[in-house]
């Protein structure tokens, strides 16, 4: 069997590795449009935060490592046309035949409200784009970041730490709105308000960009403000580009490909993974678009299980994120209050300020629990602290997967502290 994977993303690479692990006899080919592979999309942020010394270190796997596993790589090559009935792909080099095809081309930043490919925007998902952005940043002091999701916030925080004057623009009323409720991130908002080099504009949408190249100064126009800067990053939502398929595949209204529980598309023997697809939610009776690295890896691995024979259905995802921005650690899993309208039963929440541990009573964690009002089953957890609490979110993710109740959670020894007169279950 010959499996061809289009795209050396996290999803594509992990699909290839798992396929060779399960079926060493299988011929696995990865076609990647870039000349190099394995670049971590957040490499620029890692460099700005001094976690790495150069962009060359921002890799999760090498060409040699894949080839040693018996995976054939075709780099610097783009797919140009798909013939699903005859099982081949036209590329910029040759025609490639397959028995099974896996689509793993990832996503790109797309805005429905402004021109996403504006010549003045800096990008950083690819290494060459990060190198160009780094050159521009060295010559610029006033930087705009459009979008205050996780990537936008991490970028803005890193730029402030480098001494840049940063303007953060977000159409919603507060940052990180997809994973955190507004009543949780008060400490973050307070921290941001004290940053002298940070200016924020929330509840504002970019209407116009004045500037015609990376070399020119920019003017960004919102509903209420006109902002001048030397460079700008677009950090809005990512979306896949399906134009290459010429409507040969079924897709959702959000431009993600339709798949079954085994990641097979509407075309037999053609699978799609990673940022190209929605994944079923463990907590909701629907699928959701969740372009996270952990989802990409899991989708690739499970897809590999089903290439020869459909046998492992994807059981669903719990949205999990963790980040460190502006001196605060934030972690979230499961549902937030913004998801309430999607859930079919009544929901309640509980917010607590608890010590980091029994012997570290002065170090606090603000934590919010979301749970089913009738059954008390845990549905979501959000945490914020000055201390590193990122690993703790894994406990709560497992608790949600295990359908643990809030009362059961309260009886765990790590959740009780002698400062409280009663355990949490008595407070509810």
């Amino acid at each position: 069997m010959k499996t061809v994977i289009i795209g050396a993303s996290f999803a594509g690479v992990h699909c290839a590795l798992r396929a060779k692990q399960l079926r060493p006899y299988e011929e696995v080919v990865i076609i990647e449009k870039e000349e190099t592979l394995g670049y971590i999309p957040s490499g620029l942020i890692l460099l700005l935060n001094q976690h790495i010394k150069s962009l060359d270190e921002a890799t999760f796997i090498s060409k040699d490592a894949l080839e040693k596993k018996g995976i054939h790589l075709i780099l610097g090559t783009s797919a140009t046309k798909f013939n699903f009935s005859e099982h081949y792909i036209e590329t910029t080099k040759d025609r490639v035949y397959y028995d099974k095809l896996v689509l793993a081309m990832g996503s790109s930043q797309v805005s429905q409200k402004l021109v996403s490919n504006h010549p003045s925007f800096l990008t950083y998902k690819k290494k060459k784009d990060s190198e160009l952005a780094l050159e521009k940043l060295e010559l610029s002091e006033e930087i705009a970041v459009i979008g205050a999701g996780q990537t936008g916030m991490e970028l803005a925080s890193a730029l402030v730490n480098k001494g840049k004057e940063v303007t953060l623009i977000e159409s919603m009323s507060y940052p990180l709105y997809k994973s955190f409720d507004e009543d949780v991130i008060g400490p973050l908002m307070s921290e941001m308000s004290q940053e002298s080099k940070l200016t924020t504009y929330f509840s504002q949408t970019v209407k116009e960009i004045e500037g015609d190249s990376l070399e020119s100064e920019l003017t960004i126009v919102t509903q209420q403000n006109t902002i001048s800067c030397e460079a700008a990053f677009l950090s809005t939502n990512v979306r896949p580009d399906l134009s290459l398929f010429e409507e040969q595949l079924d897709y959702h209204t959000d431009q993600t490909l339709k798949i079954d529980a085994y990641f097979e598309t509407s075309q037999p023997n053609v699978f799609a993974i990673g940022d190209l697809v929605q994944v079923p939610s463990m907590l909701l009776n629907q699928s959701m678009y969740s372009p996270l690295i952990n989802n990409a890896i899991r989708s690739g691995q499970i897809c590999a299980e089903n290439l020869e024979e459909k046998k492992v259905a994807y059981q669903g995802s719990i949205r999990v994120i963790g980040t460190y921005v502006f001196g605060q650690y934030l972690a979230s899993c499961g549902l937030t209050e913004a998801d309430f309208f999607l859930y079919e039963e009544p929901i309640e929440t509980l917010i607590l300020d608890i010590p980091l541990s029994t012997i570290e009573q002065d170090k606090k964690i603000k934590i919010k629990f979301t749970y089913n009002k009738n059954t008390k089953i845990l549905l979501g957890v959000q945490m914020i602290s000055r201390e590193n609490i990122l690993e703790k979110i894994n406990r709560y993710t497992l608790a949600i997967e295990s359908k643990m109740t809030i009362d059961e959670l309260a009886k765990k020894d790590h959740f009780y502290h002698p400062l409280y007169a009663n355990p949490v279950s008595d407070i509810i």
Side-chain angles (χ1 to χ4, degrees):
M1 185 172 78
K2 180 179 180 180
T3 296
V4 175
I5 301 170
I6 310 295
S9 61
F10 279 96
V13 166
H14 282 86
C15 182
L17 289 170
R18 183 60 175 157
K20 289 298 286 187
Q21 182 184 40
L22 292 169
R23 300 174 293 275
Y25 54 83
E26 184 175 333
E27 182 182 0
V28 178
V29 179
I30 296 179
I31 300 175
E32 167 57 44
K33 64 181 179 180
E34 300 296 320
E35 294 288 348
T36 58
L37 55 76
Y39 182 71
I40 300 173
S42 60
L44 178 62
I45 297 172
L46 294 173
L47 181 62
L48 292 173
N49 284 326
Q50 298 183 321
H51 294 309
I52 57 176
K53 295 181 180 179
S54 74
L55 292 175
D56 291 335
E57 297 178 41
T59 58
F60 69 93
I61 200 163
S62 68
K63 176 182 176 182
D64 288 344
L66 289 172
E67 290 180 335
K68 285 179 180 178
K69 296 290 186 180
I71 297 167
H72 180 55
L73 301 174
I74 304 176
L75 303 179
T77 304
S78 298
T80 57
K81 189 175 181 179
F82 294 88
N83 189 318
F84 297 127
S85 60
E86 297 186 34
H87 285 206
Y88 68 80
I89 311 119
E90 298 284 4
T91 75
T92 49
K93 291 183 179 178
D94 299 298
R95 177 178 292 183
V96 180
Y97 285 87
Y98 65 86
D99 296 305
K100 304 289 182 177
L101 176 65
V102 180
L103 306 173
M105 291 91 89
S107 59
S108 57
Q109 291 168 319
V110 178
S111 173
Q112 298 176 345
K113 299 177 181 178
L114 53 97
V115 179
S116 304
N117 61 348
H118 194 282
S120 298
F121 286 148
L122 295 174
T123 58
Y124 47 88
K125 286 191 71 174
K126 301 172 185 176
K127 184 179 180 182
K128 62 182 179 181
D129 295 330
S130 294
E131 291 170 341
L132 183 63
L134 194 59
E135 291 178 8
K136 179 65 175 178
L137 288 177
E138 290 175 353
L139 302 173
S140 305
E141 293 300 321
E142 298 176 342
I143 317 294
V145 177
I146 302 171
Q150 182 179 354
T151 303
M153 286 290 287
E154 289 175 349
L155 180 60
S157 179
L159 290 170
V160 167
N161 288 340
K162 295 296 289 185
K164 305 296 183 180
E165 298 282 346
V166 178
T167 299
L168 181 64
I169 306 168
E170 169 55 53
S171 61
M172 302 300 289
S173 60
Y174 66 96
L176 300 170
Y177 67 92
K178 284 191 174 182
S179 302
F180 296 90
D181 294 321
E182 193 167 7
D183 55 7
V184 173
I185 63 169
L188 174 63
M189 298 294 284
S190 176
E191 199 79 35
M192 292 171 65
S193 68
Q194 296 176 39
E195 288 285 358
S196 61
K197 290 187 174 295
L198 177 69
T199 303
T200 59
Y201 294 101
F202 292 109
S203 300
Q204 296 196 37
T205 302
V206 174
K207 295 295 186 182
E208 186 179 352
I209 306 287
E210 297 176 4
D212 54 12
S213 72
L214 286 176
E215 288 72 32
S216 60
E217 290 196 1
L218 303 176
T219 300
I220 299 174
V221 181
T222 71
Q223 303 102 315
Q224 304 170 32
N225 297 92
T226 299
I227 303 153
S228 297
C229 60
E230 297 167 272
F233 286 91
L234 180 66
S235 294
T236 54
N237 298 336
V238 295
R239 281 289 181 265
D241 179 7
L242 305 184
S243 59
L244 189 61
F245 305 125
E246 300 176 344
E247 300 188 354
Q248 298 176 83
L249 300 172
D250 294 343
Y251 55 89
H252 299 282
T253 55
D254 67 352
Q255 297 298 298
T256 54
L257 291 174
K258 289 185 178 181
I259 54 171
D260 63 13
Y262 307 92
F263 292 95
E264 190 172 33
T265 68
S266 55
Q267 289 282 356
N269 300 307
V270 179
F271 297 76
I273 55 178
D275 289 3
L276 291 180
V277 301
Q278 296 180 3
V279 291
S281 169
M282 281 189 180
L283 304 172
L284 303 169
N285 293 323
Q286 65 181 71
S287 295
M288 303 182 71
Y289 188 57
S290 187
L292 301 171
I293 290 176
N294 52 350
N295 282 341
I297 292 172
R298 288 179 66 196
S299 69
Q301 292 173 334
I302 294 173
C303 176
E305 303 264 357
N306 296 299
L307 291 175
E308 192 170 60
E309 178 187 356
K310 289 185 178 182
K311 56 184 179 180
V312 182
Y314 190 57
Q315 297 302 310
S317 170
I318 295 175
R319 178 180 56 201
V320 185
I321 79 155
T323 189
Y324 177 72
V325 291
F326 297 106
Q328 298 283 341
Y329 290 92
L330 297 102
S332 171
C333 65
L335 303 185
T336 66
E337 282 195 60
D339 301 316
F340 279 17
F341 75 99
L342 298 172
Y343 193 71
E344 297 176 351
E345 296 183 53
I347 288 177
E348 284 190 339
T349 64
L350 172 69
I351 298 180
L352 296 172
D353 288 300
I354 63 175
L356 182 65
S357 69
T358 304
I359 60 174
E360 296 174 292
Q361 301 177 14
D362 58 327
K363 298 177 180 180
K364 301 294 184 180
I365 305 172
K366 185 175 185 179
I367 184 167
K368 180 174 183 177
F369 300 95
T370 300
Y371 54 94
N372 184 304
K373 181 178 180 180
N374 297 327
T375 66
K376 305 296 184 182
I377 290 176
L378 188 67
L379 300 173
V381 176
Q382 301 166 56
M383 310 169 70
I384 184 169
S385 176
R386 284 186 174 277
E387 310 304 320
N388 189 346
I389 43 80
L390 298 183
E391 183 59 33
K392 293 179 181 292
I393 202 64
N394 291 328
R395 296 179 185 174
Y396 297 114
T397 301
L398 290 172
I400 293 172
E401 290 178 350
S402 302
K403 297 186 177 181
M404 188 178 291
T405 68
I406 192 76
D407 296 316
E408 291 170 335
L409 187 66
K411 293 180 175 67
K412 299 297 179 182
D413 57 359
H414 66 265
F415 197 66
Y416 180 78
H417 191 279
L419 285 181
Y420 293 110
N422 301 300
V424 175
S425 56
D426 292 338
I427 298 173
I428 298 173

